[in-house]
Amino acid sequence: MIEMKPVQSSLKKWMRGNNNFQENYTKIKHEILSDPEISVFLSQHPQLPQSEIDKNLMKLYEYKSQSKQCDNCTCFAECKNMLQGYSPNLYVEGKEIHLSYEKCHLRIDHERQQEQQKLVQSLYMPKQILEAAIDDIDTDPKRSKAVRDLLQFVEEAKSGIPEKGIYFYGPFGVGKTYFLGALANKLKELHISSTLIYMPEFVREIKSSMKDDTVNKKLDYFKKADVLMLDDIGAEMQSSMVSR
């Protein structure tokens, strides 16, 4: 087992006698202390003794070398900091220098988007539907009433979950499913959760669940939703007839 004291003594002795190290140390120290942000920080705390500054050069360097509140980052995924999405903060307590971290703007926005995404749950729905947006619905006159009803529902949702539901109908391929996805994404901006269910597959799932007594558990999927969206109601009956 190696004793720490002899090692530390030897290291200090080596540091004192190594000219290259001394030169590099002096150069790095100058770069740190001449940094504009560090200079401002130290000028705001003239009570700090030089010994405290020298002792915390690594903290000052850590602060200097990182992005502050996203000033050197283009997005959360490309965060340059040691702790992704956290911005360094220097402060003084008494006569001691401290370094802490706080969430940056990009991380806060990233977490907000993640929380919003959790508000939309789906069962057997195409993934692309979960990216639907009201603004992307085309202005076909045949859809004008449906769009008005959708916007009215959203407007009412700003004051709470509407008591009256909304029903979209029409032939195959007119975009009913897309309307549901767009509505769900709009509601999540209001912090209202939605559950989208493709009925034919859900009915098949319920029938198979009768064999293992998990029906009630899966029906809870219905009950816990703030807003329940059922896609292709009636198609499950057609599918059943075809399967016969």
Side-chain angles (χ1 to χ4, degrees), residues 58-69 79-91 98-104 107:
M58 285 303 297
K59 286 182 183 177
L60 296 175
Y61 176 77
E62 185 176 330
Y63 177 82
K64 168 187 176 298
S65 62
Q66 298 192 79
S67 173
K68 287 84 177 176
Q69 287 300 338
C79 176
K80 303 176 183 295
N81 289 355
M82 295 173 61
L83 298 173
Q84 188 180 39
Y86 285 86
S87 178
N89 178 46
L90 277 176
Y91 65 98
H98 296 273
L99 179 65
S100 64
Y101 285 85
E102 60 186 8
K103 292 180 182 180
C104 68
R107 184 176 188 91

Side-chain angles (χ1 to χ4, degrees), residues 149 152-154 156-157 160-167 183 227:
D149 290 344
Q152 179 62 33
F153 189 90
V154 171
E156 293 176 6
I161 301 174
E163 294 183 4
K164 186 178 180 181
I166 184 171
Y167 181 77
L183 178 57
V227 175

